[in-house]
Amino acid sequence: RPGRFDCPWQHDEECDPADAGPPGTEADHYRLVGAADLLDRERLVALRISRRVPADQIPRIVDDCARAAAQKGYTYVSTFYSPGERAVRMELARLNDAALIRLIPTFMDMAYRPHGDETPLFAKGRLLVLSRAHDPGEAPTRAELLDLNAIAARLATASPGGKAVYVQPGPTYVQAP
């Protein structure tokens, strides 16, 4: 696992940052809430879907991701920020066994609580939310989102059977290096 982690909902003895990963700079320090054990799963898939993917292709991508989660046990790691990524997140939340790791570009303070469709996912141990431990500013920039996509790819490719997938306009998926 890259970076160090704080666990806002756990006691210090349950989540020692020294045990969570190698010491790093503040830029490599994250806050997390949810099912931290998802970081130890095999077959993590970093998912990035270009905003330029036409709306009529998104249902096929959503179906492919849902099928892979159900049949192959993939856990998706993403910002779930683009319209296609949000559609995948909504479908995976609907499934009974799918799990998600969501990277958020804004500061998550210690009072963070799940909301909306995240609440049942948290309750069932199917969601982990990670954020940078520093505040990048008002709204995420393209550079910050690309950085989070790179972190998702590092997390996924470090897991056995993990991979990074970048979906661009066109008939095929492009796997990240």
Side-chain angles (χ1 to χ4, degrees):
R1 295 186 233 171
R4 294 175 46 153
F5 301 92
D6 288 333
C7 302
W9 281 12
Q10 297 178 341
H11 301 290
D12 290 339
E13 64 270 17
E14 293 177 8
C15 185
D16 182 356
D19 294 335
T25 65
E26 187 67 19
D28 289 332
H29 198 100
Y30 306 93
R31 288 227 167 116
L32 63 87
V33 65
D37 63 314
L38 295 179
L39 290 170
D40 297 324
R41 281 198 174 182
E42 294 182 1
R43 290 184 278 232
L44 296 180
V45 176
L47 179 65
R48 181 175 167 205
I49 301 174
S50 171
R51 292 178 171 276
R52 295 181 318 238
V53 170
D56 64 341
Q57 287 186 7
I58 290 176
R60 181 183 60 89
I61 295 165
V62 169
D63 289 346
D64 289 349
C65 291
R67 189 173 28 263
Q71 293 175 356
K72 298 179 182 179
Y74 286 143
T75 297
Y76 287 92
V77 183
S78 179
T79 61
F80 297 104
Y81 201 79
S82 76
E85 293 163 1
R86 283 194 304 269
V88 168
R89 178 175 155 251
M90 289 172 42
E91 178 63 17
L92 294 176
R94 192 184 66 72
L95 299 176
N96 287 331
D97 297 327
L100 311 168
I101 299 174
R102 183 173 164 223
L103 287 84
I104 59 175
T106 55
F107 179 73
M108 179 172 50
D109 66 20
M110 298 303 252
Y112 181 87
R113 296 291 184 258
H115 54 281
D117 65 350
E118 290 182 343
T119 304
L121 295 173
F122 272 104
K124 294 177 183 177
R126 295 176 38 209
L127 178 65
L128 173 65
V129 178
L130 289 171
S131 81
R132 283 285 173 91
H134 68 285
D135 192 351
E138 293 297 317
T141 65
R142 176 171 165 69
E144 289 164 344
L145 290 170
L146 290 174
D147 185 45
L148 288 176
N149 285 327
I151 292 166
R154 283 196 337 247
L155 284 170
T157 57
S159 74
K163 60 183 176 178
V165 175
Y166 181 22
V167 181
Q168 296 179 334
T172 60
Y173 292 16
V174 176
Q175 186 163 335

